Amino acid sequence: MEVDRRGSGVHLRGEEMELHSKEAVKYVWHGAIPLQIHLHESEVTTLPPPPPILILGPRLGYLPLLIPLIKPYFNDSLPPGADTFWFDYKGLPLKWYIPTGVLFDLLCAEPERPWNLTVHFRGHPGEILTPCDGEDPVKWSFINSLKEAAYIVNGNCKNIMNMSQTDQSELWQSLAKGNVEGYNRVSSRLKLGPFGEDVTLKMGQGSPQSGQVNSGNESTWAYKVPVRLYLRIIGDVNDIEDATAIVNWDSVFHVNRPIEIHKQEGQYITFKSAIKILLPEFFDDEDEASVCDHVLVTREDNEVEAGLQEAETTASTAAKMAILEDQNCTDFLGLKAESPRPSKIKLIRIQGIEVDLDIPFLWVVNNLRNPEYFLHICVYIGASSKSA
């Protein structure tokens, strides 16, 4: 793997590479965002007001997990009342169940370091955000995402449902503490990846791991990959850094588009090919045709939801509401129709990285996915330079 830093972005390039890299996985797990967190001025009851707290937010973590560090710092300045914490960025309430790194990649067109956030302990915007009263809703949101990923990969989520309480606790604590070794120890028993037979077996030897479908040809395998797309509409701007701040979530589309990939011996589709299938609305017909040989159509969200409804869940009400809130599949063709100029993909980020389009897609999935086995992809959509 070769890492190339240009400007404020990080780019990955690669030619010959293994589909699973321990070095890359550790790079992702150790990723953190410097945060400068301010207490909202309406909640300050002391003079002088408290200075902001500087803290590192793990990319794979969630903002509510930082509250045990933040609350004591501001406690003496808070007014009386019950705590209902939430965060905002430039006035935009932040969704607590989206990983911190994904929020940063999506909301900061030009990476901001430190990232200036505001924390609130009063005045929760219930009409915008589901409440989060501690660690448990975050944990159950994570577990339910893991079930959803398992259903996509295996067609059921029995392996997650059958986890012992000890394993479930160890898996969650490993994520919360950034312990990749502990996480791998438990997650390896879930049989959800990595993807690609080159990782675990030679072509034609043994049997496919979970998530792989034998098509009857020993040299052909299928992989069902859980993907979450976040599309930010930035309008008619020439440079990404000129994009205006998001004032509400209406300009962001969140959709699950899991895809099934068929790999033939000696052939892996590239990241570019996968993006063309995930977002065919933003490519010309002739471009789409060139990648259809190795990628099947996406599975609709209602299939995943139906499978999850059959499984017993122990999620808290808040976690359930958060999941349902974002389970909407958007017709992106409408974006092109409404725009006075054709829409175009301006930028793609995964884990803060602008990935080289020629890297094998399965390498991206294996090494840049989040711990709940979803690959989170942030896409900036702007107007094309071509006239409509």
Side-chain angles (χ1 to χ4, degrees):
M1 178 186 68
E2 181 181 355
V3 178
D4 174 32
R5 299 180 182 273
R6 284 176 267 175
S8 60
V10 181
H11 304 253
L12 286 183
R13 298 199 304 262
E15 296 176 357
E16 296 295 328
M17 60 174 66
E18 296 181 355
L19 291 182
H20 187 257
S21 165
K22 292 182 178 179
E23 177 189 358
V25 171
K26 287 184 177 180
Y27 181 87
V28 169
W29 270 75
H30 293 161
I33 300 165
L35 305 175
Q36 184 167 259
I37 299 177
H38 307 255
L39 178 63
H40 192 268
E41 58 184 12
S42 67
E43 300 178 21
V44 175
T45 62
T46 57
L47 289 175
I53 181 174
L54 294 171
I55 192 171
L56 282 176
R59 273 192 155 272
L60 300 182
Y62 302 84
L63 289 176
L65 301 185
L66 302 176
I67 288 296
L69 299 175
I70 297 171
K71 173 69 187 308
Y73 182 84
F74 291 121
N75 199 48
D76 292 340
S77 298
L78 291 176
D83 293 340
T84 53
F85 63 82
W86 54 288
F87 294 83
D88 83 63
Y89 175 58
K90 295 185 177 180
L92 177 72
L94 300 182
K95 297 184 177 183
W96 54 264
Y97 41 87
I98 296 179
T100 303
V102 177
L103 287 172
F104 182 69
D105 292 344
L106 184 64
L107 301 179
C108 292
E110 181 69 17
E112 178 183 315
R113 298 183 180 88
W115 190 21
N116 283 275
L117 301 181
T118 300
V119 65
H120 304 250
F121 292 91
R122 306 289 185 269
H124 184 272
E127 72 284 0
I128 300 175
L129 294 179
T130 55
C132 179
D133 56 6
E135 182 178 324
D136 276 354
V138 188
K139 174 184 176 181
W140 291 119
S141 177
F142 167 79
I143 293 296
N144 273 276
S145 291
L146 194 61
K147 292 176 185 176
E148 187 178 351
Y151 184 83
I152 291 167
V153 173
N154 295 329
N156 64 73
C157 51
K158 293 178 181 179
N159 49 352
I160 311 300
M161 299 298 298
N162 294 333
M163 286 179 68
S164 68
Q165 289 296 320
T166 300
D167 280 356
Q168 191 178 96
S169 177
E170 183 177 353
L171 189 72
W172 170 249
Q173 289 301 318
S174 296
L175 167 61
K177 297 177 180 178
N179 179 3
V180 63
E181 289 79 12
Y183 170 85
N184 286 337
R185 186 165 51 250
V186 179
S187 65
S188 62
R189 297 196 285 269
L190 300 179
K191 306 299 182 183
L192 295 179
F195 297 95
E197 73 283 353
D198 293 352
V199 177
T200 55
L201 51 87
K202 295 294 185 182
M203 187 69 69
Q205 297 178 359
S207 60
Q209 65 188 73
S210 296
Q212 300 177 357
V213 179
N214 192 338
S215 66
N217 182 340
E218 289 296 334
S219 64
T220 303
W221 303 85
Y223 309 93
K224 298 173 184 177
V225 180
V227 176
R228 281 188 175 155
L229 292 165
Y230 305 81
L231 272 71
R232 174 177 173 181
I233 313 305
I234 60 175
D236 189 1
V237 296
N238 292 324
D239 297 315
I240 293 295
E241 54 265 28
D242 294 331
T244 58
I246 296 176
V247 296
N248 58 60
W249 287 97
D250 292 342
S251 59
V252 175
F253 296 86
H254 174 199
V255 60
N256 292 341
R257 278 196 171 179
I259 62 174
E260 184 173 278
I261 299 175
H262 278 194
K263 185 266 180 183
Q264 296 180 354
E265 185 173 10
Q267 299 176 348
Y268 285 110
I269 70 162
T270 64
F271 180 62
K272 180 179 181 180
S273 298
I275 289 296
K276 286 181 178 179
I277 293 300
L278 286 166
L279 293 171
E281 299 88 346
F282 300 100
F283 292 91
D284 295 331
D285 292 341
E286 57 268 23
D287 291 330
E288 295 173 38
S290 64
V291 298
C292 288
D293 292 339
H294 303 295
V295 187
L296 300 185
V297 296
T298 61
R299 178 194 298 244
E300 294 296 333
D301 281 345
N302 56 7
E303 291 186 39
V304 177
E305 291 173 4
L308 290 175
Q309 287 171 0
E310 295 175 0
E312 179 184 359
T313 178
T314 54
S316 68
T317 300
K320 291 179 186 177
M321 291 174 63
I323 293 168
L324 292 174
E325 193 173 278
D326 271 352
Q327 294 300 318
N328 60 319
C329 187
T330 305
D331 179 9
F332 298 120
L333 284 172
L335 298 179
K336 299 185 76 172
E338 294 174 4
S339 175
R341 291 166 60 187
S343 298
K344 178 183 179 181
I345 294 176
K346 292 282 191 177
L347 176 69
I348 300 174
R349 281 189 186 137
I350 306 175
Q351 301 293 359
I353 297 166
E354 297 173 38
V355 182
D356 188 281
L357 295 178
D358 293 327
I359 285 182
F361 179 59
L362 293 182
W363 187 97
V364 176
V365 173
N366 286 330
N367 299 294
L368 303 184
R369 63 171 172 78
N370 274 58
E372 83 291 23
Y373 281 88
F374 272 91
L375 181 68
H376 296 256
I377 305 177
C378 295
V379 183
Y380 284 65
I381 303 295
S384 172
S385 58
K386 298 178 182 179
S387 58

